[in-house]
Amino acid sequence: MSRYLRIAFFAVIVRPILLIVLGMNLRGREHLPRQGPAIIVANHNSHLDTLTLLALFPLRDLPRLRPVAAADYFLTNKLLSWFALNIIGILPLDRGGIKKNPLADLEAALDRGEILILFPEGSRGEPEQRADFKRGVAFLAKARPHTPVHPVFMHGLGKALPKGSLILVPFNCDVIAGEPFKYEGGAPAFMETLEARMSALASEGHFQPWE
Amino acid sequence: MDIVNGDIIDGLSNRVFWAIGAIYGLLVVASIIVAILKRRAPGDATTELSRRVTSWWFMITIFTIAIITNRIVSTVFLGLMTFLAFKEYLSLIPTRRVDRLLLLFAYWAIPVQFYFAHQDRYGLFLTFIPVWMFLFFPMAMTLAGKTEGFLRAVGTLSWGMMITVFALSHTAMLLAAGDKAGPAGGAGLLLFLVALTQFNDVAQFTWGKLFGKHKITPTVSPKKTWEGFLGGLFSTAVVAALAGPFLTPMPVHWAGLAGAMIAIAGFLGDITISAFKRDLGVKDSGGLIPGHGGILDRVDSLTYAAPVFYHAMHFFVFSGRI
């Protein structure tokens, strides 16, 4: 049931809004994963980021796409947590928990062939300004070194719906997907590669400042 | 007017239908030529060309549906096209966070402006953006209290509003002329303007590809040549002279002149938007139309051609009656 609701939500609400009100320019479609397991790593500006990334894929891929989101934010009230779990299909992550391996659920999802969507900045933060990536993604990649990591840079959604605002202002957004790579040579080297690739994608767009 | 009974289908002159038929005829010919080119010389250039022709099929079909349904649908369609162009503009330029809600407000000027056009309220149509929005934007930014980047913000917003919303809303004003506009009505004038502007783009491109040598604006748009510009001007004037007496109240020589005017204005609009994009370091304004770029890339010529054509019609042909 919620599976159909999820597809309907994306087909009837998310996609038309992204097409008309927001508008999306996608570059590097060929670099997006066609099948799981895969890890998509993106910068985070807005709640719209997740919806936009999910809308990049055909509707039939929806069940395999799992945005990883903070349990302490999305699972606090009943309605939000129903929506997050069933419609968005998040995989809750326990931030600062005391579990033995906080990444166990993520690793299991990859083992099931799912595509994880990760925002290693940890929170939306200041819109259209990148914060440092947290290192959890490196530990996940290390645990599953054969899983391709797909860097995706997004611009513009932080202008359309920044943190703290409820009013949507139409802006085109740009999504630039980069070539996938795999874990190699230790966590610091992996983080360096990831940051470098994101910066390269960001400079491809000639984006103007927003301050 | 001189529209005889039976010459009208649903308030739309059947001359408009004949003209649309002729456009599709041209499209079929273009598709055949491109298919032959692609077979003879397969490669990136011809693939790009055929992608463009495919997009033309979509654009012309959407435009046809919009124009033949009824005038409200046509005006809403033109407004939507303008919204997409203005959104591309605002997304490309640097903006300030403090102006976010003002930008949302600026979008709402589009339905207001198109409503005035639809109601044929010439005075309001003419003053709403150049006077009222022009005064309102700097006032709102002043009251918001951030002076850093004020001039850049108010300048870019006002210019963008003029070059997209105000300029393109002249298309809706042509429609509003209704049967005052002669044998094919306001829709005939709109079709004349839009078809010739787009035809001129293609003709300039084709002449330029075939014979282009001498660059006109090497620093702005290095692919534009005198040969392309003059070839386009000549072709557009000829087609206008043929189509003018059929779609507008103009006789052959006046229609030819109007065609030349559309060609020159269209060229200027094209390079003006090019200068704007070059300043920001982008090639295309968006990615909505495969092979063409964004909406703003497609309507760049229209940003100059529409106001120039409308006001020339208003002043010289109809003496203020449309």
Side-chain angles (χ1 to χ4, degrees), chain A residues 5-126:
Chain A
L5 269 179
R6 192 178 185 211
I7 288 176
F9 176 71
F10 276 88
V12 180
I13 299 174
V14 176
R15 283 171 185 249
I17 289 180
L18 281 176
L19 188 70
I20 303 290
V21 182
L22 287 167
M24 179 170 42
N25 303 320
L26 171 62
R27 271 179 267 182
R29 181 181 285 281
E30 67 278 9
H31 296 318
L32 291 173
R34 288 213 182 80
Q35 59 206 13
I39 303 170
I40 294 176
V41 175
N43 57 325
H44 206 8
N45 294 311
S46 165
H47 278 319
L48 298 170
D49 292 336
T50 313
L51 297 176
T52 305
L53 285 172
L54 291 173
L56 295 177
F57 292 86
L59 287 172
R60 63 176 140 65
D61 283 351
L62 264 182
R64 291 189 298 124
L65 291 160
R66 306 300 302 275
V68 177
D72 55 274
Y73 183 96
F74 287 98
L75 302 187
T76 39
N77 82 55
K78 262 190 184 165
L79 188 69
L80 182 63
S81 96
W82 176 84
F83 183 77
L85 288 170
N86 296 292
I87 303 299
I88 308 296
I90 67 160
L91 202 61
L93 177 70
D94 206 359
R95 285 198 284 205
I98 40 155
K99 273 193 211 165
K100 209 168 180 192
N101 177 9
L103 300 175
D105 289 347
L106 277 58
E107 290 165 12
L110 288 176
D111 294 339
R112 288 194 299 271
E114 294 178 350
I115 299 172
L116 297 185
I117 297 175
L118 252 72
F119 300 106
E121 277 166 287
S123 95
R124 287 164 295 162
E126 285 291 298

Side-chain angles (χ1 to χ4, degrees), chain B residues 204-221:
Chain B
Q204 275 189 12
F205 172 82
T206 312
W207 282 94
K209 275 269 175 227
L210 292 176
F211 306 106
K213 268 210 178 76
H214 303 88
K215 291 176 179 174
I216 299 191
T217 55
T219 55
V220 179
S221 202

Side-chain angles (χ1 to χ4, degrees), chain B residues 169-185:
Chain B
S169 67
H170 285 78
T171 54
M173 206 57 189
L174 284 172
L175 268 182
D179 14 310
K180 287 180 290 177

Side-chain angles (χ1 to χ4, degrees), chain B residues 192-214:
Chain B
F192 182 80
L193 166 72
V194 173
L196 284 171
T197 307
Q198 303 302 333
F199 174 79
N200 181 58
D201 279 1
V202 177
Q204 275 189 12
F205 172 82
T206 312
W207 282 94
K209 275 269 175 227
L210 292 176
F211 306 106
K213 268 210 178 76
H214 303 88

Side-chain angles (χ1 to χ4, degrees), chain A residues 155 159 171 207-210, chain B residues 86-96 103 152-153 155-160 276 280:
Chain A
H155 170 86
K159 301 196 242 177
F171 275 104
F207 298 122
Q208 298 296 316
W210 196 64
Chain B
F86 187 50
K87 176 160 64 78
E88 281 181 356
Y89 176 84
L90 287 184
S91 304
L92 286 175
I93 63 167
T95 45
R96 304 187 304 172
L103 298 183
R152 187 191 70 184
T156 49
L157 180 57
S158 302
W159 186 73
F276 153 73
L280 295 179

Side-chain angles (χ1 to χ4, degrees), chain B residues 243-257:
Chain B
F246 188 70
L247 285 174
T248 75
M250 290 182 284
V252 175
H253 54 285
W254 276 64
L257 204 62

Side-chain angles (χ1 to χ4, degrees), chain B residues 37-250:
Chain B
L37 282 177
K38 199 177 168 186
R39 178 169 286 191
R40 275 198 196 160
D44 285 353
T46 47
T47 308
E48 177 73 4
L49 212 55
S50 80
R51 198 176 298 150
R52 278 194 203 188
V53 173
T54 310
S55 288
W56 275 119
W57 278 97
F58 280 100
M59 286 187 284
I60 290 173
T61 303
I62 292 170
F63 185 73
T64 301
I65 294 168
I67 198 172
I68 65 176
T69 313
N70 66 45
R71 192 154 73 80
I72 294 177
V73 172
S74 315
T75 304
V76 168
F77 165 78
L78 294 169
L80 196 64
M81 178 189 84
T82 302
F83 163 72
L84 294 175
F86 187 50
K87 176 160 64 78
E88 281 181 356
Y89 176 84
L90 287 184
S91 304
L92 286 175
I93 63 167
T95 45
R96 304 187 304 172
R97 285 171 69 170
V98 64
D99 297 330
R100 216 174 77 86
L101 289 183
L102 182 60
L103 298 183
L104 182 64
F105 184 87
Y107 281 113
W108 284 103
I110 299 171
V112 175
Q113 173 72 357
F114 277 78
Y115 176 77
F116 291 152
H118 183 73
Q119 296 292 320
D120 205 10
R121 300 289 296 266
Y122 183 70
L124 286 170
F125 165 82
L126 226 47
T127 49
F128 177 60
I129 290 171
V131 177
W132 300 115
M133 288 299 109
F134 176 78
L135 297 176
F136 178 79
F137 293 147
M139 181 205 79
M141 286 180 188
T142 304
L143 294 180
K146 191 182 176 190
T147 52
E148 200 190 328
F150 171 84
L151 183 58
R152 187 191 70 184
V154 74
T156 49
L157 180 57
S158 302
W159 186 73
M161 188 105 213
M162 286 296 288
I163 199 72
T164 58
V165 182
F166 184 65
L168 294 174
S169 67
H170 285 78
T171 54
M173 206 57 189
L174 284 172
L175 268 182
D179 14 310
K180 287 180 290 177
L189 287 185
L190 177 69
L191 193 60
F192 182 80
L193 166 72
V194 173
L196 284 171
T197 307
Q198 303 302 333
F199 174 79
N200 181 58
D201 279 1
V202 177
Q204 275 189 12
F205 172 82
T206 312
W207 282 94
K209 275 269 175 227
L210 292 176
F211 306 106
K213 268 210 178 76
H214 303 88
K215 291 176 179 174
I216 299 191
T217 55
T219 55
V220 179
S221 202
K223 282 184 179 164
K224 295 272 186 296
T225 60
W226 278 105
E227 291 79 3
F229 169 64
L230 293 172
L233 178 68
F234 171 75
S235 317
T236 306
V238 169
V239 176
L242 294 172
F246 188 70
L247 285 174
T248 75
M250 290 182 284

